Amino acid sequence: MASSSSTAVATATETTTERRGIPGAQFVEDVETYLNQSGLDVNSALSFLQERLQQYKLVEMKLLAQQRDLQAKIPDIEKCLDVVATLQAKKGTGEPLIADFEVSEGIYSQARIEDAESVCLWLGANVMLEYSCEEANDLLQKNLDNAKASLEVLVADLLFLRDQVTITQVTIARVYNWDVHQKRRMREAVTAEKDS
């Protein structure tokens, strides 16, 4: 019963919009019509809506983690771009660049760099490649643009997701309040029958 009722509600919610795999929430104007169309009782509908709310919360946690990662990555890329630009500016001037670099966490060393023709970039997964300064600059700029574009998409996804959470919470409240109202009306009807 629960799986067939979940599919009935799922098909009813498919008419709402979807963004990058995040299903849209259906705002319920008329609770009674919603329950009749979905073929669910109040408890099953509330259970489905609570489950959907938990799914939204899980997706939100994942998107927030991705957002934190991107927000940490962007300054690193910008710092690398600044270093490459500094190396390019010093190239051909004859004066060496004195730089402090991190050997290990908390351990720094000083280096004297004279006319660097190339730089080495960590690509991840323990892979480092040597690029000319121009190629490194182009690659880093491309990575920075991609990271900023991904961050914009993530922010839009989070806004969409928060709207879906709000709609689902309002729907849960409407279904619950409708049920309370129906039970109160039934009690009043029973009381009125007893009195007459």
Side-chain angles (χ1 to χ4, degrees), residues 150-166:
S150 295
L151 186 60
E152 286 179 19
V153 169
L154 268 176
V155 167
D157 287 348
L158 279 168
L159 290 174
F160 175 79
L161 189 61
R162 287 184 180 133
D163 287 345
Q164 304 320 299
V165 167
T166 302

Side-chain angles (χ1 to χ4, degrees), residues 8-81:
V9 174
T11 55
T13 59
E14 284 173 4
T15 59
T16 60
T17 59
E18 181 177 312
R19 180 176 172 88
R20 289 178 17 110
I22 303 169
Q26 179 185 21
F27 179 74
V28 176
E29 286 275 339
D30 182 13
V31 175
E32 189 169 3
T33 304
Y34 168 74
L35 293 174
N36 289 337
Q37 286 177 349
S38 63
L40 298 176
D41 64 351
V42 172
N43 291 333
S44 298
L46 286 172
S47 167
F48 170 77
L49 291 169
Q50 290 288 353
E51 181 181 321
R52 177 61 59 96
L53 184 61
Q54 292 306 316
Q55 291 169 351
Y56 285 145
K57 295 288 187 177
L58 181 64
V59 171
E60 183 179 29
M61 285 178 18
K62 289 178 182 179
L63 289 177
L64 286 172
Q66 290 176 3
Q67 183 183 30
R68 278 191 304 274
D69 291 345
L70 280 174
Q71 286 173 334
K73 183 189 280 187
I74 289 173
D76 289 343
I77 296 172
E78 289 172 339
K79 187 168 64 172
C80 290
L81 272 168

